[in-house]
Structures are given as structure tokens and as C-alpha cells.
Amino acid sequence: MRRKAASLLLVAMMMSVAVPVHASEQATVTIQESQGENREVDQVQSSETTESKPSTSQITTTAERKEEVTSTHKKKQNKKRDNKKEKKVKKLKKTKKKEKVVHVKIKPTISSSYQEQSIKIKKNKEYIGKFIYFNQGDAAWNSSGYGIRAAGCGPTSMAVCISTLTEKWVTPVDTTSWAYEQGYYSSAGSEHRAIPAMAEHWGLKCDGLGTNYQKIKESLKHGRPVVSLMGPGYFTRGGHFMVLTEIDSNDNVTVADVGSRKRSQYKYSLHDVISQSKVASAGGPFWSIYKQGKAKTQNDSKSNKQVLKISKNKKTATKTKVNQKEKEIIQSFYTELSKNLTDLEKELPNSKVLIGKKATGTEIPNGKINQCIYRLGEKLNNGHLQFIATHYYFGEEAILHGDAKSASIDLNSRIQMLDF
């Protein structure tokens, strides 16, 4: 019985314990479920909250957008400023253009005393041979504002040709003012095409001769003056127009150098003149000027005697006289020359010793005869003599270095006649 009662008690105890345990399990499940539900809700809430709040990447993008907006705004402002500046610049340019249109070219004015001076000069003309001579440096031509003294050699040379050939009084002011009006002349000098243009305007013909030796010679033989453009050398350091008026039987030319009365006193080898000419357009650097019709052949025997005339009342040229001092200088030259001759040269007459041969190449002749000639040029203040002394061989050197084709020069006859 005791055993039965104990087992019953045990069963009862076990049952009493089992029921609470089951209940607690149910409660636990319920809490867990509710917690799970709560968790699900939290998760949903949390996801909704996450969607509503911007992420870090979204915040960065917004800042960039703000920067873009700011930079775009700045660009627009800069563009407006640039546009304003451009408008100002355009206005200034338009104003400058208007100002340029307003400017008027000022024409040089001719002095009221010019006509009076011109008439005086016309009554007392200067001549070189049969050609009227003008000098570009004379005061009568330089009160006009055209700068003839410095740059008017071209129009002045044409005035020599025009006045002589047309027998009309056409001065350097007349030719310069016309060339200026036509755009051929400025303070820098004359254009090459000004020579044929001036000839045509005054009813003359003009032939471009280039540097053709034979054509230049023929033009002078037929009494047609030749306007020449010279380059660096004896006549100029840069560029200079002058007139070749005559040529003799030895092909030595008389010149009307409008820049120098002194240089106009001498004759020059045509070969030397051509060698010192300047490259030119419009048919130059030598132009033959003449009247239409038959040209007259010059008389060589008369032209040889007509060296230079600067006369007030006569039209015939006369030979310049040698003063006593020059005679003494020339005599001392011959004395010095005889002392410096070689044995071979002493056997030759002076007429042969002083016949020079043009030097070729870059070598500068420097023999004893050349030195004597150079010193003579210094004493007489004659640059042409000095040029000859440094460009021609004489005496024994002429025999050794002379070429049959090279140009020759008879210096002895020039010295005696003062035609060098």
C-alpha cells in the first residue's frame, strides 16, 4: 500500500510539474513571436527611415550640384563682363576709325619767294655742255617743304633733261611737286617708275636700257641724255640719280651730277659708271630720255672741249682753268712718278705708263704708280683719282695683270686736260 501510495504521489507530482512547464513554453513562444513581430516592425520602420534619410553619397552629390550651380553663375557673370569689355573695345575701334578718316594729308607749301628766285636763276642759267644744270641742294628749291635737298635727286635729274630737251623752264620744284601728287615721290626718295612717268607727262620718250653698255653708248652718241641710278661707290653711299650727258671717243662720259657741282667737273669711264649702278625696276638703272623724232648725232670733237660750264651769260661751255697751285701739285706728281718707276717703266713714255688696266676680282692694286696717283687725288681733293688708283693697274703691273678684254683708262691725258 505504501508503495502504491508513493507511486501515486510521484505521478501526481510529475503531473503538477508538467503543466506549468508547458505553460511557460507557450509563453516563451508567444514572447518570441511577439518579439519577432516587433523585430519585423522595427526592420520595416528602420528601412522606411533609411529610405527617407539621405545617404552619404547622396549628400556629396548635392554639394557638387551646389558647386556646379555656383560655378555656372560665376561663368555667366564673367561672360557678361567679357561682353561688356568687347563692346567697349569695339566702340574704341570705331572711334579710332572715325578719327583716321578725319585726318587729311598735308600738302607741302611752296614759298612765296620761289617764283622770284626761279626767275633770277632762269636769267642766269648754269650749263654743263649744252645741258641746263640744276643742283638739288640750292636754296631756291628747298623752301617748298618737299625735301629736295635730301631726297630730290630723281626729279632734279629729270628737270635737267626736260628743261634742255623741251626748251621750257621746268625746275626741280615743278618735277618734284608733280611726282609727289602722283604718288611717285616722298621724303624717302623717288620710285624707279617715276622716271618714265615724268618723261611721258612732259611729252618726252623714255627707253629703259638696263645696264647694256652699247645701248647707253648709242643713246649718248645720238644726243640723248641718260638718267642713271647709282649705287654705293664714288657718287653715293646709298642710291642717287644723276644724268649722263655726253660721251667722247674714249668712252668717257660727262655727267650732270645734281648732288655735286664738283663731281660734275670730271669725266668718268662708262665702264666704271655702269659697274657702280644700282639694281632697278621699270627698265633701269639707265634710262634714255629724248624727244620723238630724229635724234642728232653729237660732234665728238666739240664735246671733248666742253667739260663744264657754270656761266651767267653764255650758253657755250668753257674749259675750267687750272690755278697755279694745281699746276705745282701736278708737276710734283710727275717728278715723284719718275723717281718710282722700274727700269722697264723708265723705257716707256708717260703716255704708256699711265694707261691703266681695270683690275678684276677682289685684289686692290697697290703699286708705286698707284700710290703716286692716290696721293695726287688727296692733294687735289679728287675722289675719282683715288678710285682709279685702287681699281686700275699701271706700268709694269698693267702688262703683267692686264687682260686684253678688261677696260683701259688713259690717265695722262686726263691729268693734262683736267678731265679726270
Side-chain angles (χ1 to χ4, degrees):
M1 280 293 290
R2 289 179 181 179
R3 290 181 180 177
K4 193 174 181 176
S7 49
L8 286 170
L9 183 62
L10 180 64
V11 169
M13 289 176 67
M14 292 176 64
M15 289 177 66
S16 63
V17 171
V19 172
V21 168
H22 182 69
S24 66
E25 285 177 357
Q26 285 182 344
T28 303
V29 170
T30 302
I31 290 168
Q32 288 174 346
E33 287 176 355
S34 66
Q35 285 177 349
E37 288 175 359
N38 289 336
R39 283 175 187 168
E40 287 176 1
V41 173
D42 288 342
Q43 286 175 357
V44 171
Q45 287 177 349
S46 127
S47 67
E48 287 175 357
T49 307
T50 304
E51 287 176 1
S52 63
K53 291 180 181 179
S55 63
T56 306
S57 63
Q58 288 174 328
I59 291 169
T60 305
T61 304
T62 305
E64 287 175 354
R65 285 177 184 173
K66 286 182 180 179
E67 286 178 6
E68 285 177 4
V69 170
T70 305
S71 64
T72 304
H73 181 65
K74 285 181 179 179
K75 284 179 180 177
K76 286 181 179 178
Q77 285 183 333
N78 291 335
K79 195 171 183 180
K80 285 180 181 179
R81 287 175 188 170
D82 292 338
N83 289 336
K84 285 180 180 179
K85 286 181 180 178
E86 284 179 6
K87 286 178 181 178
K88 285 181 180 179
V89 171
K90 285 180 180 178
K91 284 181 180 179
L92 287 170
K93 285 182 178 179
K94 285 180 180 178
T95 307
K96 285 180 180 179
K97 284 181 180 178
K98 287 178 181 178
E99 287 176 356
K100 284 181 181 177
V101 173
V102 173
H103 288 307
V104 179
K105 189 178 181 181
I106 300 171
K107 181 182 176 181
T109 55
I110 298 173
S111 170
S112 57
S113 64
Y114 160 69
Q115 292 296 340
E116 198 175 311
Q117 291 175 313
S118 179
I119 292 168
K120 285 181 181 179
I121 293 171
K122 184 179 180 181
K123 289 179 179 178
N124 302 290
K125 301 183 189 75
E126 293 182 32
Y127 286 87
I128 292 180
K130 63 181 181 180
F131 284 83
I132 294 170
Y133 175 77
F134 294 111
N135 188 288
Q136 69 186 91
D138 286 350
W141 325 128
N142 285 283
S143 57
S144 59
Y146 287 104
I148 295 175
R149 178 182 282 104
C153 54
T156 306
S157 294
M158 284 304 297
V160 170
C161 298
I162 294 164
S163 292
T164 302
L165 296 174
T166 65
E167 297 181 356
K168 295 177 182 178
W169 185 242
V170 180
T171 72
V173 174
D174 297 327
T175 51
T176 304
S177 60
W178 182 85
Y180 177 85
E181 291 291 339
Q182 303 303 313
Y184 297 123
Y185 175 84
S186 69
S187 58
S190 302
E191 293 185 10
H192 301 161
R193 61 196 179 108
I195 303 303
M198 283 187 277
E200 183 181 3
H201 178 72
W202 272 278
L204 298 174
K205 295 293 182 181
C206 176
D207 291 342
L209 307 177
T211 55
N212 189 303
Y213 188 101
Q214 195 58 37
K215 286 183 178 180
I216 296 168
K217 181 178 177 178
E218 286 299 315
S219 178
L220 294 171
K221 284 285 185 185
H222 286 84
R224 296 174 174 178
V226 175
V227 174
S228 58
L229 176 59
M230 307 307 297
Y234 175 65
F235 299 98
T236 179
R237 292 179 181 177
H240 178 59
F241 288 97
M242 66 179 191
V243 186
L244 312 183
T245 60
E246 295 175 347
I247 189 167
D248 64 20
S249 57
N250 295 317
D251 287 2
N252 298 316
V253 294
T254 302
V255 305
D257 186 340
V258 297
S260 171
R261 286 182 171 87
K262 187 168 186 177
R263 290 196 296 265
S264 300
Q265 294 179 22
Y266 311 120
K267 286 187 178 182
Y268 305 89
S269 164
L270 178 57
H271 183 276
D272 289 342
V273 172
I274 293 173
S275 69
Q276 291 188 32
S277 63
K278 190 174 184 179
V279 175
S281 57
F286 293 90
W287 295 267
S288 175
I289 311 296
Y290 59 97
K291 285 179 74 173
Q292 192 169 13
K294 190 176 180 181
K296 295 179 180 179
T297 305
Q298 79 173 48
N299 189 327
D300 288 335
S301 60
K302 289 182 180 180
S303 66
N304 288 341
K305 295 177 182 178
Q306 293 176 343
V307 179
L308 168 72
K309 179 192 175 190
I310 299 175
S311 173
K312 292 184 177 180
N313 301 312
K314 296 180 181 180
K315 291 186 178 181
T316 306
T318 57
K319 183 181 167 183
T320 56
K321 294 182 179 180
V322 185
N323 60 36
Q324 189 60 36
K325 186 178 179 180
E326 287 174 336
K327 285 182 178 179
E328 291 173 0
I329 291 171
I330 292 169
Q331 188 57 47
S332 64
F333 162 74
Y334 282 111
T335 304
E336 182 187 5
L337 181 67
S338 61
K339 292 178 181 179
N340 286 282
L341 297 178
T342 64
D343 292 337
L344 177 61
E345 290 165 350
K346 286 177 181 178
E347 294 178 4
L348 300 172
N350 284 339
S351 58
K352 297 291 183 182
V353 170
L354 291 177
I355 290 178
K357 285 287 184 180
K358 179 76 173 177
T360 57
T362 57
E363 187 179 352
I364 298 174
N366 193 31
K368 290 185 177 181
I369 297 175
N370 296 80
Q371 293 173 16
C372 291
I373 297 168
Y374 192 88
R375 282 191 288 272
L376 175 63
E378 285 183 324
K379 290 175 182 178
L380 292 174
N381 194 23
N382 189 296
H384 187 53
L385 268 181
Q386 293 171 311
F387 175 84
I388 291 171
T390 55
H391 289 77
Y392 286 84
Y393 292 111
F394 289 93
E396 198 171 325
E397 285 195 339
I399 297 170
L400 296 172
H401 299 281
D403 185 354
K405 293 181 180 179
S406 65
S408 61
I409 186 170
D410 186 355
L411 188 59
N412 187 62
S413 61
R414 293 191 179 196
I415 291 171
Q416 289 182 354
M417 293 178 64
L418 283 183
D419 281 350
F420 40 83

